[in-house]
Amino acid sequence: MGKLQRLYDRMPIFVQNLMVSLSGYSKSRNRYGKAYRERRRFLTEFDSKSIEEKLAYRDKALVDFVRYAVENSAFYKELYKDVDLDGFTGVKDLIKLPTVDKELLRANIGAVYTLPRRRAVESHTGGTTGKSLTVRGLRDDMMYRMATLDHFKSRVGFENRRMRRATFNGKHIVPPHQSKKIFWRYNRACRQMIFSSFHITEENLGAYVEGLNSFKPQAIDGFFTSMCDVASYMERKGIKPSFTPVAIFPTSETVTDSGRALLERVFGCRVYDQYASSEGAPFITECAEGRLHMELSTGVFEHIEEGSDEVLVTSFLTRGTPLIRYRIGDRVEFDNSCTPCACGRHDLYVKGIQGRRLDFLYTAEGAKINAGNVANLFKNLPNVVIRSQAIQERLGFITVLLEVDKALYKDEYDDVIRDEFLHKFGASTEIQIRHVESIERERSGKFRFIVNKVEL
Ligand SMILES: [Zn+2]
């Protein structure tokens, strides 16, 4: 823990709010400058372009980006030394370039960077596989990414920094020994109330609802499972929100159909999904018509091979640590229909984002069942499961941890759940159900609904 965190922990809450705001203002300098404003204007224009114009822009941006990487990154210069780059004219030529993966980047990271640390905006990618990577970015690229994100939200009516936003994230804003039930701090720089994801327990949820009701956010964003925990509590207790947000924007975690329906029911507004990993993948965003659009100004998605959903990403906004044909580990199902969308934009589309490689369980035979399908196994129960986690340590065996509403839960529900799992996974998989007081979050504050430890 840093010095600043220790100092923060000793301060009264109003000083902590001030410190959170100061940190917010300081971060804003790297996020909302001239490049941000220019990009917002560019994106508004870009939306109205024809698909041909957008694809032509993307080809040109790709050629420039590959050239930039070769000129500024020793790693890419070496990697492409036998490639005829003069004949490289756009997306159709990507196939000529070798692919890269996380291990290759990590082992060569010093040579991959195109700029020294002192001029870079640094970010750290999640370590779900135990591998973490420090990514260096250009300040302008950071602003372009923020602009893309804010533009996506503004299309559906939410203007970031002008409107109030409640965020559930993994920041340590509540000191360990705090006794008051105030689990949020205010970042004035962005009109953002940050809610801690670490203190969401049945005992504290009432306070969270009060916090939200008094702040009256116009959007809720951040960790999906945290919002679902709050919504599920409200529904179980029959509590109505005293506000109607414009939209809900989950990040970082898999959005399940049942969780989405719950949030839309309880808060009376739409949920808009998005995809952009912390490593800097291109963006995929959901529009007002519920369709997933590739943000063509941000990069290229390809499938790793025909018949596979696993993608390679080339991300234009990663000039500090270029990602070109990078095997990011996510699976994305493309939508091959190329018609204009009823939202008014004409793009390339995506049917579904299956999420991380580790976001699934195996059947005894080794087939994969993704997180969305596992979540569906609980949908025939009344709203009595507060949280669940499916853990797989070896093939043929799954442990289901349940945190339930004890007042409403009936013993026979265990059999309903076991039966659902057996139908999905087959009789050769043994299902063990364990009731626990609370299911731990990860250190990042994210909640992992699936924990798959099987190495195949
Ligand atoms: Zn659309």
Tab-separated table of all heavy atoms in Angstrom, residues 287 293 341 343, ligand 1:
chain	number	residue	atom	x	y	z
A	287	CYS	N	-25.796	-0.010	-29.637
A	287	CYS	CA	-26.516	1.216	-30.006
A	287	CYS	C	-27.938	1.202	-29.451
A	287	CYS	O	-28.369	0.238	-28.821
A	287	CYS	CB	-26.548	1.377	-31.523
A	287	CYS	SG	-27.692	0.236	-32.335
A	293	HIS	N	-22.100	-2.578	-32.592
A	293	HIS	CA	-21.347	-2.012	-33.715
A	293	HIS	C	-19.848	-2.085	-33.440
A	293	HIS	O	-19.415	-1.768	-32.340
A	293	HIS	CB	-21.665	-0.520	-33.886
A	293	HIS	CG	-23.041	-0.212	-34.391
A	293	HIS	ND1	-23.267	0.435	-35.573
A	293	HIS	CD2	-24.270	-0.458	-33.863
A	293	HIS	CE1	-24.569	0.589	-35.762
A	293	HIS	NE2	-25.202	0.054	-34.736
A	341	CYS	N	-27.939	0.113	-39.989
A	341	CYS	CA	-28.670	-0.154	-38.741
A	341	CYS	C	-29.778	0.885	-38.591
A	341	CYS	O	-29.642	2.028	-39.030
A	341	CYS	CB	-27.712	-0.085	-37.557
A	341	CYS	SG	-28.509	-0.426	-35.974
A	343	CYS	N	-30.464	2.538	-36.198
A	343	CYS	CA	-30.020	3.677	-35.392
A	343	CYS	C	-29.478	4.801	-36.270
A	343	CYS	O	-29.187	5.885	-35.789
A	343	CYS	CB	-28.952	3.250	-34.385
A	343	CYS	SG	-27.347	2.907	-35.126
B	1	ZN	ZN	-27.199	0.643	-34.524
